[in-house]
Amino acid sequence: MVRRRFEDRFHPAGKGFDARRIVYRGERVHASIDLERSHFVENEGRLLRKMKAGVAVWLRALGRSLLLAPLAWLVELIGPYFGMPRGWAVVGLVIWTVTFFAFLNIYVWLSMLEYLRRRRMSIERPFDADGDDLRGLLPPAKEAIVGKVAVLAPSRAREVWREAWAEEESERGTTTRRVSAGDHFVVVPDDGSPPVICELDAAPLIVGPSEREAMASRPMKALFPDTIAEGDAEVVVLRVGDAVALHAEELRDVPRVDHVEVDGVVRGHRPAGERTDAPYRGGGAQPGRRATSTGYRPLRIRKLR
C-alpha cells in the first residue's frame, strides 16, 4: 500500500502561533513550509487587518508629504509679493499635520486591537466525539457526494485514512500536532453515479465522530514515530465501508476507474463481486471521476454515523 503522511504543527509564539506544514516521504521529511494561515487557527479579524492596511497606506503617504513642510514657510514669506494673503499656507500646514496625527492615532489603536485579538488566538480541531463541524469547514450537505469508502487496488487494507490530534510539552510550551496518514481511496456513491477516486496530494479536511486512542498503540506509533509522548490523542479513522459525504471543488472524468495511474503506478477500483485480484489490469471499462486533495484546495469529508 502506498503510504502518505502529512503534519500540521503549531507552536506558541509571541502574538499567537507559528504554524508549519510537514510532508513526509517514508520516515523522512520531504517538504516543510511555514503556514501563513490555517483552517484550524482562529482567523477572525479580516476586516480589522484590511482597515489597518488601508490606514497604513494613507499614513505613509501623509508622512512623506510632510517632508515638504518647509515649502509652506517659503510660500508664507514670498506669497505677499505675488498678492497672496498671509497665514493660509501655515493654516494648511497645520491642518495637514493634524490629519497625519489623526491617522497615526487610528493606526495605533488598530494595531493594539489586532495584538489583543492575536493574543486570544486558539487552535481548534474540526471535530469532536459527537462529530460536530466545530470550524464550519463543510459546505452545504446538498452539495456532497454521499457514498461508501472503498480501497484502491492492489491495496486490501481495511483502514484507508487516519487523522490524529495530539499535544506535546516542550520548552516553547504546548505544541499541537495534527498528523494524517493513509492511502488514496475511492468513494462509491449511493446513487449509482461513477465512483470517485480520491487522490491525496495533501491531507483532506475530515469531520466526524472522534475516538480517543493511546499514543502507545501500534497505529499511533506509525503516525508519530518521532515522539515518546504518552497519553491519548483524538482520532478520526476512515475504514472500508464507512458512509461519507465528500465535498470536492473539482471532479475530472476518467475513462476507466479500474485502470488509473496514481503516483506513476497503475491502480484501480474493484467493483463489488469482482473476482480478479488485479482489477487494474483488466475487468470492465467502468467510467469514473477523480478528485485531488491539495494544500490549497483540500477535499472535505464528513464521516457519517
Side-chain angles (χ1 to χ4, degrees):
M1 178 174 59
V2 179
R3 297 290 297 182
R4 320 180 69 75
R5 187 158 64 100
F6 307 93
E7 178 177 354
D8 289 347
R9 188 175 298 189
F10 305 95
H11 297 290
K15 294 184 179 180
F17 292 89
D18 287 334
R20 176 168 290 275
R21 174 159 295 160
I22 304 170
V23 179
Y24 295 93
R25 179 171 292 175
E27 297 298 324
R28 299 183 179 181
V29 174
H30 175 65
S32 179
I33 59 173
D34 289 326
L35 292 178
E36 295 183 359
R37 58 181 59 88
S38 170
H39 293 284
F40 313 112
V41 179
E42 184 65 39
N43 58 0
E44 297 180 358
R46 295 179 181 176
L47 179 61
L48 182 63
R49 290 196 297 271
K50 290 182 179 180
M51 291 174 60
K52 180 183 174 183
V55 171
V57 172
W58 282 99
L59 186 62
R60 189 179 301 110
L62 289 169
R64 291 172 177 174
S65 67
L66 286 177
L67 295 175
L68 303 176
L71 293 179
W73 298 106
L74 180 61
V75 171
E76 184 67 20
L77 291 174
I78 66 175
Y81 295 101
F82 298 93
M84 297 177 60
R86 286 184 176 277
W88 286 105
V90 175
V91 172
L93 176 61
V94 171
I95 294 175
W96 201 250
T97 304
V98 170
T99 303
F100 168 78
F101 280 103
F103 273 85
L104 179 61
N105 189 41
I106 295 173
Y107 183 82
V108 170
W109 275 100
L110 291 175
S111 298
M112 184 171 62
L113 290 174
E114 184 184 32
Y115 173 78
L116 293 176
R117 185 195 63 80
R118 289 180 62 87
R119 293 273 297 194
R120 296 194 298 269
M121 291 172 67
S122 60
I123 302 293
E124 187 175 22
R125 63 177 180 268
F127 49 72
D128 59 10
D130 297 325
D132 293 331
D133 184 9
L134 301 180
R135 296 291 298 156
L137 299 179
L138 300 178
K142 62 181 181 181
E143 301 177 6
I145 299 172
V146 179
K148 299 293 192 299
V149 174
V151 296
L152 193 62
S155 171
R156 296 186 180 183
R158 297 299 303 170
E159 178 181 307
V160 298
W161 196 260
R162 171 181 289 256
E163 178 174 320
W165 287 71
E167 294 184 347
E168 294 182 354
E169 297 295 334
S170 64
E171 296 179 355
R172 299 179 61 181
T174 302
T175 298
T176 302
R177 300 179 64 181
R178 173 218 182 201
V179 181
S180 303
D183 190 18
H184 311 292
F185 59 90
V186 180
V187 172
V188 182
D190 293 339
D191 61 5
S193 57
V196 180
I197 297 174
C198 298
E199 182 181 17
L200 304 178
D201 290 340
L205 301 177
I206 296 180
V207 174
S210 63
E211 310 165 3
R212 295 196 66 84
E213 188 167 340
M215 293 288 287
S217 67
R218 180 177 298 178
M220 296 303 292
K221 286 183 178 180
L223 256 66
F224 298 88
D226 58 342
T227 183
I228 57 174
E230 300 179 353
D232 298 334
E234 289 290 333
V235 183
V236 170
V237 182
L238 295 183
R239 300 179 176 89
V240 174
D242 283 347
V244 297
L246 170 67
H247 301 267
E249 294 186 31
E250 181 181 1
L251 290 170
R252 305 185 304 279
D253 293 332
V254 294
R256 293 185 58 172
V257 74
D258 65 326
H259 192 282
V260 180
E261 183 175 327
V262 182
D263 294 333
V265 179
V266 175
R267 305 181 64 180
H269 165 59
R270 176 170 54 198
E274 180 67 48
R275 295 182 178 180
T276 177
D277 291 332
Y280 52 98
R281 295 180 183 173
Q286 181 184 9
R289 293 173 291 177
R290 186 172 187 161
T292 302
S293 182
T294 67
Y296 297 101
R297 303 174 69 179
L299 296 180
R300 300 168 191 257
I301 301 171
R302 174 183 283 279
K303 180 180 178 181
L304 306 173
R305 288 185 179 274

